[in-house]
Amino acid sequence: MNETFNVADYKRQLNEFPQITYEEYQQITDEQVRQDIAKKNKILQTDTYNRTMNIIKWPTRSNIEETFTFSMRRAPAGSSYIVVDGIRKMIKNLFSYPITQNELDFAKSFYADQWQKWWVWFFDADMWQKVIDNGWYMPLHINAVPDGTVVHPKEPVITVTGPSELAAIFEPMIIRPFFKSAIATTGSMYADELGWTIAPICEQWKRAWVNEEAHMDGNASLIVGWWLDKTSNDAAALVYNLKTSGTTAHRLYSSYPTEQEAMDAAAKIDNMILLTDLIDTKSWIEKALQIKQQKQAEWKNVMLRLDSGDIAELAIYALSRQQELWMTNPNKDKICVSDWVSTIEKFKNLRKAIKEAGFDPNLLVYGIWGWLIANDKTRDAMSGAYKLTNGEGGATWKLSNDIWKESIPGKLNIEIRDGVRYLVQEDEPVQWERLLTTVYDHGKMYYWDDDLLAINQAKEQRERTKQRECYETKESDVTREMHEQVRERLKAQIAEY
């Protein structure tokens, strides 16, 4: 009798740090195992920047209450807004499972080894021991916007309040939603251009991603930003309940002795997208149309895919030939184009050329390649920043020669009222809807377990909050006064120094 698969047990195995000592770890030479164990030790999910700050502030100031704010100071090129995504996944990964004594003992041995070998010294083991002795949970209060929320650059996305260096320690992880946000935003830009709810796209970039986790994250974020429903990645289709969709490969012709044999082999498939740039695109458009006619007579379907050359010219040629052959069904007689979604301008120009030629641009569907889900998806492209904005003496921030890099001080939220997006302080009286809500509080997680439902709700959140993207962002009177006071205080400190 087969036992029922236990999801909770399996997830615990995926996330909990194993019972292993640092000395045992040092005997392991398998890279995958070493990486997996290192990623599961939450105490190590930081960098030396934060441990350096801890030693500077230790012992008197490393435990005072402070608030840090994550924001993205740039939107992707061509966009005035950001579709936030990836916060839920980050919070759940960091705070769903306990920090164990074994994790701490392992970390202590690792940092002792760092000292012995390279004199890299400081690790505040007492800080982590207090966390474990207090019931393992992180003594933090975290507010965040829901995934799918449309924000403006520099608006707060996450705020973390707690003991100073514990609130700062996970900075590298808290910044990482920039990646999924960049993909969701880029997809949303194309959705804005098309005005469609269901995207006429197929994601086709599995073979060019740096790793499978990033590719999976990209698919999920395109669901949020552009309602993706098709992918050529079989594994992603399994995870997110997407339709698998792909085309014939360039090797079709070279796999057979003659072009005719290649064409006959392709005709065996009942429903497919047939690549046409195997030798000469126009000649293969004609061959593909012959196969398409044959399949339509059998109540089956073939779609043409254009991948090389002047895509606009070739698309117009193919649509003209289909029209001559009475292939004008808006559902069955679409043409798939690749590469021409690589920039929003190329995308617009292609659709414009098709319309000017007298055809409906909606007869095109698109294979998604690099720019949409890989190019310019770095932290620098989004200028993601996690900055101290409130401390022992009240509001504070980062002063910069680059005015656009300046943080907004205080414990922030976004309040929508009177057609304005006000940056308010948490302790101001609530007058209307606020976008940041509590997602974690001293061990209590405010997310439910159904991640697939959460992705669908995130895409609905994008639709809902996109309507208010046109509202201007302003600081409330309280925030503006606080901002001016902090600026003058910091300038006076610099002048005095």
Side-chain angles (χ1 to χ4, degrees):
M1 180 177 178
N2 293 330
E3 294 182 3
T4 302
F5 180 73
N6 191 310
V7 176
D9 285 349
Y10 183 74
K11 187 169 183 179
R12 190 173 296 107
Q13 293 173 25
L14 291 176
N15 288 278
E16 286 190 346
F17 189 70
Q19 290 294 321
I20 185 173
T21 66
Y22 179 68
E23 291 70 24
E24 291 170 330
Y25 178 87
Q26 288 297 76
Q27 302 305 311
I28 298 171
T29 59
D30 185 287
E31 182 183 21
Q32 181 184 14
V33 175
R34 289 177 69 92
Q35 286 189 1
D36 184 69
I37 292 172
K39 288 188 290 186
K40 287 178 178 176
N41 191 310
K42 288 178 283 298
I43 295 172
L44 301 183
Q45 305 314 307
T46 187
D47 53 32
T48 310
Y49 294 94
N50 288 295
R51 288 193 295 111
T52 301
M53 286 304 303
N54 200 351
I55 188 173
I56 291 172
K57 297 169 72 174
W58 182 86
T60 58
R61 299 190 62 80
S62 61
N63 202 42
I64 61 175
E65 182 177 289
E66 293 182 336
T67 297
F68 292 79
T69 301
F70 170 56
S71 62
M72 289 170 274
R73 296 173 296 199
R74 292 194 191 105
S79 178
S80 61
Y81 65 87
I82 299 162
V83 180
V84 177
D85 194 31
I87 293 178
R88 172 190 166 91
K89 182 175 182 179
M90 178 272 294
I91 295 291
K92 288 187 68 178
N93 285 348
L94 279 178
F95 301 114
S96 291
Y97 290 89
I99 297 171
T100 64
Q101 187 66 51
N102 187 44
E103 271 176 277
L104 176 55
D105 293 342
F106 184 100
K108 287 163 67 174
S109 296
F110 165 68
Y111 289 118
D113 196 33
Q114 288 282 301
W115 164 247
Q116 184 178 15
K117 290 178 178 177
W118 294 290
W119 288 21
V120 179
W121 171 54
F122 189 72
F123 173 61
D124 192 351
D126 290 341
M127 176 180 76
W128 289 105
Q129 191 65 61
K130 290 176 182 176
V131 171
I132 294 169
D133 293 344
N134 197 35
W136 75 259
Y137 65 81
M138 293 291 285
L140 304 173
H141 181 90
I142 303 176
N143 289 345
V145 298
D147 284 342
T149 301
V150 172
V151 301
H152 288 162
K154 295 190 71 173
E155 290 184 345
V157 173
I158 304 172
T159 64
V160 180
T161 300
S164 174
E165 291 311 304
L166 280 176
I169 201 75
F170 291 137
E171 175 185 6
M173 315 303 289
I174 291 172
I175 286 175
R176 284 186 176 170
F178 75 80
F179 174 70
K180 287 172 65 65
S181 298
I183 295 173
T185 305
T186 307
S188 181
M189 292 164 59
Y190 283 84
D192 291 344
E193 179 65 25
L194 288 171
W196 293 350
T197 301
I198 301 299
I201 60 175
C202 178
E203 185 279 317
Q204 300 172 341
W205 202 236
K206 179 183 177 77
R207 62 192 63 188
W209 279 79
V210 293
N211 57 52
E212 190 60 12
E213 183 177 3
H215 189 209
M216 293 283 192
D217 282 348
N219 274 260
S221 294
L222 282 174
I223 295 172
V224 172
W226 201 5
W227 292 53
L228 176 75
D229 66 346
K230 293 180 287 295
T231 179
S232 66
N233 179 352
D234 293 350
L238 170 66
V239 173
Y240 299 113
N241 295 321
L242 302 174
K243 176 184 177 181
T244 55
S245 180
T247 72
T248 52
H250 286 90
R251 67 177 182 271
L252 173 62
Y253 175 73
S254 56
S255 296
Y256 291 88
T258 68
E259 189 175 276
Q260 185 60 50
E261 287 177 272
M263 183 176 169
D264 292 342
K268 297 175 184 176
I269 303 176
D270 289 342
N271 295 284
M272 65 177 171
I273 303 174
L274 187 59
L275 187 63
T276 58
D277 70 331
L278 302 174
I279 301 178
D280 172 72
T281 299
K282 284 191 176 180
S283 67
W284 262 88
I285 286 175
E286 296 302 326
K287 293 177 175 63
L289 289 174
Q290 292 177 34
I291 297 174
K292 185 176 176 71
Q293 283 182 303
Q294 174 187 334
K295 291 299 180 183
Q296 285 190 339
E298 301 170 1
W299 296 95
K300 297 166 185 176
N301 193 46
V302 169
M303 185 185 296
L304 280 60
R305 173 186 162 199
L306 309 175
D307 190 51
S308 300
D310 187 328
I311 299 294
E313 176 191 348
L314 292 170
I316 292 168
Y317 175 80
L319 288 169
S320 298
R321 291 291 294 121
Q322 287 193 165
Q323 188 177 63
E324 292 169 5
L325 296 170
W326 298 94
M327 298 176 181
T328 57
N329 186 304
N331 296 315
K332 292 185 176 181
D333 297 321
K334 294 180 183 292
I335 292 175
C336 178
V337 297
S338 300
D339 178 60
W340 273 67
V341 292
S342 60
T343 72
I344 195 74
E345 286 306 314
K346 288 178 71 174
F347 183 70
K348 291 178 179 178
N349 290 339
L350 173 62
R351 292 178 61 79
K352 180 181 178 183
I354 297 301
K355 186 174 183 179
E356 289 177 348
F359 295 102
D360 183 356
N362 295 335
L363 287 170
L364 301 182
V365 295
Y366 306 92
I368 299 176
W369 292 90
W371 185 78
L372 197 60
I373 52 179
N375 297 357
D376 297 326
K377 301 300 183 286
T378 63
R379 177 202 167 192
D380 288 345
M382 303 293 287
S383 190
Y386 185 65
K387 300 300 180 184
L388 175 65
T389 55
N390 202 80
E392 185 181 40
T396 188
W397 60 321
K398 173 185 177 180
L399 193 63
S400 175
N401 289 330
D402 296 323
I403 190 67
W404 65 274
K405 285 187 175 181
E406 288 190 356
S407 308
I408 300 168
K411 296 182 178 180
L412 293 165
N413 208 316
I414 307 167
E415 185 168 281
I416 307 295
R417 53 181 159 88
D418 303 326
V420 177
R421 307 169 66 90
Y422 285 105
L423 304 185
V424 300
Q425 299 298 312
E426 273 294 334
D427 58 2
E428 289 186 54
V430 177
Q431 299 185 49
W432 204 248
E433 178 187 0
R434 293 194 174 180
L435 298 188
L436 280 78
T437 60
T438 299
V439 296
Y440 176 86
D441 185 37
H442 292 75
K444 182 177 181 181
M445 186 80 65
Y446 285 78
Y447 290 127
W448 56 96
D449 290 334
D450 192 332
D451 294 331
L452 297 183
L453 175 61
I455 291 171
N456 283 322
Q457 292 183 333
K459 67 184 183 183
E460 292 169 1
Q461 176 76 355
R462 180 260 176 197
E463 295 295 307
R464 184 165 52 250
T465 58
K466 180 66 175 63
Q467 300 171 13
R468 298 176 298 195
E469 185 271 327
C470 60
Y471 295 174
E472 182 183 3
T473 298
K474 293 182 179 180
E475 295 180 0
S476 69
D477 291 342
V478 173
T479 300
R480 184 172 62 254
E481 181 179 356
M482 184 182 293
H483 202 156
E484 292 170 355
Q485 290 174 351
V486 173
R487 181 185 286 117
E488 292 306 313
R489 187 185 77 230
L490 292 177
K491 286 182 175 179
Q493 289 175 356
I494 293 171
E496 182 180 348
Y497 181 76

